[in-house]
Amino acid sequence: MTTSDAVPGWLADELTTVPSYVGFADVDELAAGLRAIADDHPDLARVERVGTSRQGEPLLCLIIDEDRPDAAEALVFGLPHPNEPIGGLTALHLARRLTEDAELRDRLNHRWRIIACIDPDGLRLNQGWLKGPFTREHYARHFYRPAGHDQVEWTYPLNYRDAYFDAAIPETQALMRLIDQHRPDLVCSLHNSEIGGVYYYLSRPEPELYPILQDVPTRLGLMLDRGEPESPEIVRLADGIYRAGSIKDAYDRTIARGEPWHNTAGDSTASYAGRYGAQTLISELPYWVDPSIADASPASIGYGEAVAARAEGLAELAELLQAGIAATEGNLLAPESPLWRAARYFTTSMVHAAESTARRAGDPEADRPATVAEVSSLAAGVHQFRLRFAGILLRALAGELAVGNVREPIRTAHDQLAERYERWIAEDAGALPYQVIEIRNLVATQYAATLATAAQLSGRLH
């Protein structure tokens, strides 16, 4: 695979420092990793508790704040979504390299606050798949993602027209305190996707960074994602690079299309940190490669047809989730558990997504040829949501049975969903050829993106 010479030599050398991994780190391993780094470098780094999770876990932050009068401030945090553990390993490697290498610290010229895991409660609910096997099925059966109004990344205060949110969760409050106190110049929210290619978000355009962010994945054998963005409102800055901003932007575009606003969550980290002029970098890495995601050649069907197929798939999923929720209403022992909160939230989300996608399929601008990458990502999204959200509901129902709730509606809903879920698992395996990506290459990509952005802010990129 050919590469350009966009990546500076020092950054290319840093790629070689990332070790191999056999699995992802859990909550206890991430906490121990931060403490070990601080213990090894007591004159340079320390670990402080910056908050407490909803279920009582300490939120730990490693701080590297040498006396650098002209240094910028950086805040880096992993696991903003708890099914995205690449960032935990990236945070540990970043902390280790910064404490070991004075030359790297001089080049980047930042004071660092690094949180390896900002959502320990959620990561514990994903623990079943962290050590593999890294199949889509194993991942899906142990998957958990919080409801939108329980997510660290999306529970910042929001008061915009008729969109209002003021219930920031404790984990988000911890980040807000750090942002307000230290006014970071750089915020790195370490995310990852599931299948496809690599893509990024930046809260402001930085064309100097684009070729480097685009070239790093290529050097590591990964592909840039050229498929459908996560939302039609997202602004593309360059191939695989999008604009991160406030939920207000999505609100305005939704209302402009004549659609109602249904989101019950809050604003984003990028928006909150933006009040202090921070550049926010979000690096999205997949676990599995889909070769078609980089194919910008014309597909055999139109874009509107591909969007309509997605809408149909989402509607089928939404109908199944609604039926399961309705059948068990009033029969639950733990109706406010994280799994049930997530199941209800994503059921509503899928209903609205199906309706919005169906409207988009009929838009005049959808009457055009589709690319192979767009068709692939639209179809992959249906498979992803089936396995994710039906899987959460199935786990919630299984949990009720496990604690002795054997009421007939619970048993019936569980068995019916389990039967459909098995079919969807089989369809996913047959429809999406994928290859598992070596964890080292994922961490190296995210690590390099973080270093490049910090160096660019310091004027020392080349």
Side-chain angles (χ1 to χ4, degrees):
M1 186 173 290
T2 61
T3 63
S4 73
D5 57 0
V7 175
W10 70 269
L11 187 58
D13 291 341
E14 281 300 320
L15 293 176
T16 68
T17 68
V18 180
S20 295
Y21 303 92
V22 296
F24 295 103
D26 62 25
V27 175
D28 299 325
E29 290 166 336
L30 291 172
L34 284 183
R35 293 190 188 280
I37 293 168
D39 289 344
D40 289 342
H41 303 275
D43 296 332
L44 181 63
R46 68 185 187 275
V47 172
E48 289 186 358
R49 182 171 180 167
V50 294
T52 306
S53 76
R54 285 156 289 179
Q55 297 195 38
E57 294 270 1
L59 303 177
L60 302 180
C61 179
L62 184 131
I63 300 170
I64 304 171
D65 59 355
E66 296 174 289
D67 183 16
R68 293 175 175 272
D70 62 337
E73 293 278 352
L75 172 62
V76 180
F77 57 95
L79 281 302
H81 290 136
N83 61 296
E84 301 176 0
I86 296 170
L89 297 177
T90 302
L92 288 185
H93 185 69
L94 173 67
R96 190 172 297 110
R97 287 293 298 138
L98 288 171
T99 52
E100 291 174 349
D101 194 324
E103 185 177 341
L104 180 63
R105 294 196 303 274
D106 289 342
R107 176 181 289 277
L108 302 181
N109 197 34
H110 279 65
R111 286 182 289 270
W112 296 87
R113 283 168 176 79
I114 302 171
I115 300 172
C117 181
I118 193 61
D119 187 357
D121 300 343
L123 182 55
R124 291 196 186 280
L125 287 173
N126 279 282
Q127 194 156 319
W129 69 269
L130 296 179
K131 307 304 182 184
F134 297 111
T135 65
R136 297 265 291 168
E137 177 177 355
H138 187 69
Y139 169 77
R141 292 189 185 278
H142 298 276
F143 173 91
Y144 167 72
R145 188 182 184 95
H149 43 260
D150 291 333
Q151 292 180 11
V152 179
E153 189 69 270
W154 292 107
T155 55
Y156 290 84
L158 175 65
N159 186 6
Y160 185 68
R161 299 187 180 178
D162 61 347
Y164 186 83
F165 185 88
D166 64 359
I169 61 177
E171 296 86 343
T172 305
Q173 292 176 33
L175 292 178
M176 290 168 61
R177 287 192 295 270
L178 289 172
I179 292 169
D180 289 338
Q181 182 177 356
H182 300 288
R183 302 190 174 194
D185 302 274
L186 172 64
V187 173
C188 294
S189 183
L190 304 176
H191 282 256
N192 63 260
S193 55
E194 287 184 13
I195 187 167
V198 176
Y199 58 102
Y200 311 91
Y201 294 93
L202 289 168
S203 56
R204 64 172 178 266
E206 291 292 351
E208 184 184 21
L209 270 178
Y210 301 165
I212 298 173
L213 296 179
Q214 292 166 334
D215 190 42
V216 164
T218 303
R219 285 176 170 263
L220 294 165
L222 307 180
M223 295 176 301
L224 207 62
D225 195 313
R226 292 181 170 86
E228 188 82 354
E230 293 185 76
S231 169
E233 290 83 18
I234 292 173
V235 176
R236 177 184 173 278
L237 298 175
D239 272 359
I241 303 172
Y242 301 95
R243 180 73 176 263
S246 171
I247 198 70
K248 298 173 185 176
D249 300 327
Y251 177 99
D252 286 340
R253 293 186 180 95
T254 300
I255 299 303
R257 291 197 305 268
E259 298 179 14
W261 180 251
H262 296 295
N263 196 316
T264 60
D267 214 340
S268 67
T269 307
S271 177
Y272 194 82
R275 65 181 60 189
Y276 303 116
Q279 169 69 288
T280 296
L281 167 71
I282 300 172
S283 307
E284 298 273 9
L285 293 302
Y287 303 120
W288 302 283
V289 171
D290 173 8
S292 64
I293 207 65
D295 189 346
S297 65
S300 59
I301 66 172
Y303 181 74
E305 184 180 353
V307 173
R310 179 185 177 98
E312 184 177 346
L314 295 181
E316 180 191 15
L317 171 60
E319 183 179 355
L320 183 72
L321 296 176
Q322 283 180 304
I325 295 291
T328 57
E329 188 175 359
N331 289 291
L332 304 177
L333 294 181
E336 288 305 312
S337 75
L339 289 168
W340 278 112
R341 288 172 63 87
R344 287 192 291 270
Y345 176 86
F346 289 117
T347 295
T348 302
S349 176
M350 289 298 97
V351 170
H352 297 320
E355 294 170 350
S356 177
T357 305
R359 284 192 291 267
R360 189 156 61 93
D363 287 347
E365 59 191 36
D367 185 18
R368 63 171 176 83
T371 67
V372 172
E374 287 172 333
V375 172
S376 176
S377 58
L378 286 165
V382 174
H383 289 276
Q384 173 181 288
F385 292 152
R386 283 173 173 176
L387 269 57
R388 278 184 172 193
F389 305 141
I392 288 176
L393 179 55
L394 192 59
R395 285 187 70 184
L397 289 165
E400 290 287 326
L401 295 173
V403 297
N405 185 358
V406 292
R407 294 179 175 92
E408 188 278 331
I410 304 297
R411 290 184 284 112
T412 298
H414 175 272
D415 293 347
Q416 289 177 346
L417 179 59
E419 180 182 3
R420 180 74 68 88
Y421 198 67
E422 293 297 331
R423 297 208 306 268
W424 282 345
I425 289 282
E427 288 179 18
D428 177 74
L432 294 177
Y434 62 83
Q435 301 169 346
V436 180
I437 302 172
E438 185 180 352
I439 296 174
R440 178 201 172 276
N441 292 334
L442 299 172
V443 173
T445 301
Q446 197 168 61
Y447 172 61
T450 302
L451 296 187
T453 307
Q456 193 272 337
L457 283 172
S458 296
R460 301 173 185 181
L461 184 54
H462 297 286

